[in-house]
Amino acid sequence: MIRIHRAFPLLALPLFAACSSAPPSSVLLENQARCPQQLAQGQMLILRLPSNPSTGYRWELLNTPDALRSLGPEVYSSPDKVDMVGAAGHSTWRFQATAAGKGSLRLAYQRPWEPEPIEHFECRLEVR
């Protein structure tokens, strides 16, 4: 029994190290209160903002930092209640942190035919 007790710390050490050092594989960003945001290279950033395209308003991506690569176009998802025509939902973008660097992710919420947006989203990002 004494030999088992002495070996336990050596066997458990890799488990504890793995739990404490790895960043999450993705970061969900839903508002500017979580900004500025730091990411590790290889990490995915998921940006999810409230949206209602049935009103004519859309989020327009104005600036993406060079350290991020887009993983596809905006995806709109409506609420679970499909019987509510015109109900608001969410627009989601996915980015991969590919290189070290700093910059701002900027979007504007507006109708294409109106000169000014009604809302802005800006988040300073740093990829390490």
Side-chain angles (χ1 to χ4, degrees):
M1 282 275 274
I2 294 173
R3 290 183 183 152
I4 293 173
H5 290 295
R6 289 182 184 166
F8 177 73
L10 295 175
L11 297 173
L13 187 59
L15 296 174
F16 293 128
C19 292
S20 65
S21 63
S25 61
S26 64
V27 173
L28 177 62
L29 185 58
E30 295 183 292
N31 58 54
Q32 293 179 137
R34 293 201 49 212
C35 297
Q37 187 67 237
Q38 289 187 356
L39 301 168
Q41 288 185 43
Q43 223 172 6
M44 185 187 322
L45 174 67
I46 301 168
L47 176 61
R48 185 173 179 237
L49 298 174
S51 182
N52 191 348
S54 68
T55 62
Y57 286 98
R58 297 289 310 250
W59 283 102
E60 180 184 352
L61 193 55
L62 302 176
N63 187 60
T64 305
D66 292 337
L68 294 183
R69 178 177 53 93
S70 175
L71 297 177
E74 167 193 9
V75 175
Y76 175 77
S77 57
S78 60
D80 294 335
K81 299 178 181 179
V82 293
D83 60 336
M84 296 179 65
V85 176
H90 290 92
S91 291
T92 304
W93 296 262
R94 287 176 170 73
F95 302 94
Q96 187 83 42
T98 58
K102 295 180 181 181
S104 288
L105 182 61
R106 293 185 16 236
L107 294 94
Y109 192 60
Q110 74 181 88
R111 291 176 171 151
W113 60 89
E114 292 182 352
E116 295 296 320
I118 62 167
E119 194 172 343
H120 287 92
F121 177 88
E122 183 170 359
C123 188
R124 296 270 314 146
L125 301 170
E126 180 179 0
V127 178
R128 295 179 178 208

